[in-house]
């Protein structure tokens, strides 16, 4: 599945919610608790579980994406620091250039 074809978690949650709402529609008094057959309410319960699971999956996905963006942000910060260090090293004396080279190498290792 490509990124473009992957379903958005909001769509999955919305779909599960619509299915729950459809199953829980009250058309007449026989559909109300006590008047409905147990099997009907069991189907509503199953739809509610699916909606809950879709919501939990969306939350878990968001937490994972938060970790990914933090890692990518750290990488970008290190790349920017390395570029700045290399730029400084071009105009520094030999001793400072060596120190900046060591610092640049340390940034790459992170």
């Amino acid at each position: 599945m490509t990124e473009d074809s992957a379903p958005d978690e909001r769509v999955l949650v919305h779909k599960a919610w619509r299915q729950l709402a459809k199953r829980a529609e009250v058309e007449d008094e026989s559909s109300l608790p006590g008047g409905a057959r147990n099997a009907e309410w069991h189907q509503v319960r199953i739809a509610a579980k699916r909606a809950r699971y879709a919501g939990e999956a969306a939350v878990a996905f968001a937490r994972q994406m938060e970790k990914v963006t933090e890692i990518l942000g750290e990488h970008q910060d290190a790349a920017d620091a390395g570029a700045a260090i290399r730029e400084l090293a071009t105009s520094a004396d030999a001793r400072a250039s060596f120190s900046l080279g060591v610092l640049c190498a340390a940034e790459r290792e992170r």
Side-chain angles (χ1 to χ4, degrees), residues 28-88:
D28 58 44
E29 290 183 15
S30 68
S31 298
L32 296 173
R37 296 187 310 261
N38 286 335
E40 292 170 348
W41 287 108
H42 181 65
Q43 292 304 313
V44 171
R45 179 174 178 260
I46 289 171
K49 280 186 171 186
R50 287 185 181 141
R52 186 184 95 207
Y53 298 153
E56 288 171 352
V59 169
F61 177 78
R63 286 186 183 137
Q64 290 302 313
M65 288 303 99
E66 181 180 12
K67 291 176 186 177
V68 168
T69 57
E70 286 176 15
I71 291 167
L72 293 172
E74 288 176 12
H75 175 76
Q76 185 61 42
D77 291 347
D80 290 345
I85 291 168
R86 284 189 298 281
E87 179 66 29
L88 287 171

